[in-house]
Amino acid sequence: MSDGWRDDFNGTTMVYRLSPGEDIDSSQCDYDVAMQCISRPKDVRAIREELRDKGQKRAKPRFTELHNELLIILGPGMSANDAVSELERLIKHFKGYGMCCGRDSTEEYVIETVGKNSRRFRE
């Protein structure tokens, strides 16, 4: 159960890393996440895809950045059953609403839909 909205999370817990074509990796590690921090706005998928659509070159992600990976940070109070339930809820959200890709150059949030005819649109 949540203690309410928080902008910053840090501590030590289990993290799962998924990368297409690779084994699922898990590790007990430290994490530090700032939810409202926008120190590198050009790194988000919305900007990167906008540049690609315009035929412009996208900067190569730095080695320490996420590339085509998914990190799942599990709070120590989350059971395996809870994790599955929440991941299924996220999948349902992505399929029904889409995935938020960040803000584009107009400062509008961009949503990417799921499926063979996926598309991006401004929220």
Side-chain angles (χ1 to χ4, degrees):
M1 173 150 257
S2 175
D3 299 327
W5 182 256
R6 296 173 291 179
D7 289 337
D8 298 307
F9 299 87
N10 58 67
T12 302
T13 194
M14 289 301 299
V15 174
Y16 283 79
R17 181 180 62 90
L18 294 86
S19 216
E22 294 184 20
D23 290 338
I24 295 172
D25 184 28
S26 64
S27 179
Q28 181 172 309
C29 61
D30 293 338
Y31 65 95
D32 189 2
V33 177
M35 294 291 288
Q36 299 299 317
C37 186
I38 55 170
S39 60
R40 296 184 183 121
K42 292 182 180 178
D43 291 351
V44 299
R45 181 171 175 79
I47 293 287
R48 296 180 59 74
E49 291 300 298
E50 180 180 27
L51 291 173
R52 184 180 64 84
D53 291 347
K54 292 178 179 178
Q56 297 177 10
K57 188 174 180 179
R58 299 173 289 173
K60 185 176 178 182
R62 292 176 287 282
F63 180 75
T64 57
E65 292 179 324
L66 293 172
H67 296 241
N68 192 17
E69 298 155 313
L70 170 66
L71 289 184
I72 300 170
I73 303 171
L74 299 173
M78 178 151 295
S79 70
N81 285 334
D82 291 343
V84 168
S85 177
E86 291 305 306
L87 289 168
E88 287 173 344
R89 190 166 71 105
L90 180 61
I91 291 167
K92 183 177 178 180
H93 178 81
F94 279 11
K95 287 181 175 180
Y97 180 71
M99 177 183 78
C100 185
C101 299
R103 291 181 180 152
D104 66 9
S105 63
T106 68
E107 292 293 314
E108 295 291 327
Y109 281 102
V110 174
I111 305 298
E112 184 175 307
T113 62
V114 175
K116 69 177 186 175
N117 296 319
S118 66
R119 64 186 182 87
R120 289 184 304 280
F121 64 93
R122 290 188 176 106
E123 189 173 47

